[in-house]
Amino acid sequence: MWLWALLPICLAVFGTVGIWVVFGIAVSNETVNITARFPYISECGTYDPQSCIFSQVCNICAVLILWVVVIRFQQVRDYGQNSKVNIASIVLGFISSLGISILGSFRQSVLFGIHVFGAFLAFFVGLAYFWLQVWLTYKVQPSKGRRWMGPLRAALCSICTILVITMAIGLLFDTGYRSMASISEWALVMCFFVLFGLFASEFRHIDHHQLTVQNQGLSKTQSINSGGIIMYSGTANRTVM
């Protein structure tokens, strides 16, 4: 169903447009100076009024990412790959989305330590999530579009790994390397949005999405001696569409 394919596409488009709007506002009101060096994404979203937009974009993206992560987890499980890797992927996806919300809610000019912690969860844990998705792409049976999806996803993850290393190196050295680190950060975020958008190719094969609520209980026997009536209560299943 193409309806589910729109979800990762909306995430990728909304996130990309949102952070570039923040960049445009920051440049227009001169809170960042791109002639001196290229700013980090967080620097663009530090000052008002773009800080409010930046926080809102991050929080909405965090919710959309949670939704994508859950659907992907259930899709892989429905294909019969209910493995520890799939469970680890949903855990890492949740942690990464939490990191995005943290870095958007805590500005670096106010709470720098918490902001950096959120960035670590978003970037490093998020990269680990996508590498697990590469593994699942080749393990899931059947895998739709494996011939091109696997190599493309692996190539983008490799690029993201290089960008993370470049960004980390740039942060550890003097200001002469800060533009390299900030450009790597922007490129990394763009690659992340592309990786999320790739789920659209797999989500379009979902026929429906349902949540099953199951109430498990031990069979209880109630005996009424006088009438000899025996009552049983077992397992009840409800399906919420």
Side-chain angles (χ1 to χ4, degrees), residues 49-187:
Q50 63 267 21
S51 62
C52 303
I53 300 174
F54 179 67
S55 297
Q56 190 73 353
V57 168
C58 289
N59 288 321
I60 292 176
C61 284
V63 173
L64 294 176
I65 288 171
L66 279 176
W67 199 355
V68 170
V69 166
V70 170
I71 293 176
R72 178 58 178 168
F73 169 79
Q74 293 186 346
Q75 183 187 37
V76 172
R77 185 181 59 182
D78 291 342
Y79 283 154
Q81 189 59 239
N82 192 20
S83 62
K84 293 181 180 179
V85 175
N86 194 29
I87 297 174
S89 71
I90 192 173
V91 173
L92 293 179
F94 277 24
I95 295 174
S96 178
S97 65
L98 176 63
I100 294 173
S101 179
I102 290 175
L103 71 87
S105 301
F106 298 91
R107 291 181 293 178
Q108 68 170 11
S109 59
V110 180
L111 293 170
F112 181 76
I114 299 178
H115 180 84
V116 171
F117 175 70
F120 172 81
L121 297 180
F123 295 144
F124 288 86
V125 179
L127 180 60
Y129 170 78
F130 283 119
W131 273 117
L132 290 185
Q133 290 303 315
V134 172
W135 190 90
L136 291 171
T137 302
Y138 287 99
K139 291 296 181 180
V140 169
Q141 297 289 345
S143 180
K144 306 293 185 180
R146 177 187 296 174
R147 293 183 178 179
W148 65 272
M149 179 61 69
L152 178 58
R153 186 169 279 159
L156 286 172
C157 287
S158 300
I159 294 173
C160 289
T161 303
I162 296 173
L163 291 173
V164 166
I165 295 173
T166 304
M167 182 178 64
I169 293 175
L171 289 172
L172 294 175
F173 287 92
D174 295 332
T175 56
Y177 295 93
R178 293 189 65 182
S179 290
M180 178 185 67
S182 59
I183 292 173
S184 298
E185 182 192 40
W186 280 89

Side-chain angles (χ1 to χ4, degrees), residues 222-239:
Q222 181 180 3
S223 176
I224 303 178
N225 295 328
S226 59
I229 301 175
I230 300 177
M231 301 177 61
Y232 297 94
S233 62
T235 302
N237 293 316
R238 292 180 297 158
T239 301

Side-chain angles (χ1 to χ4, degrees), residues 8 148-149 152-153 156 193-202:
W148 65 272
M149 179 61 69
L152 178 58
R153 186 169 279 159
L156 286 172
F193 283 134
V194 173
L195 283 167
F196 277 114
L198 288 179
F199 285 124
S201 177
E202 291 153 328

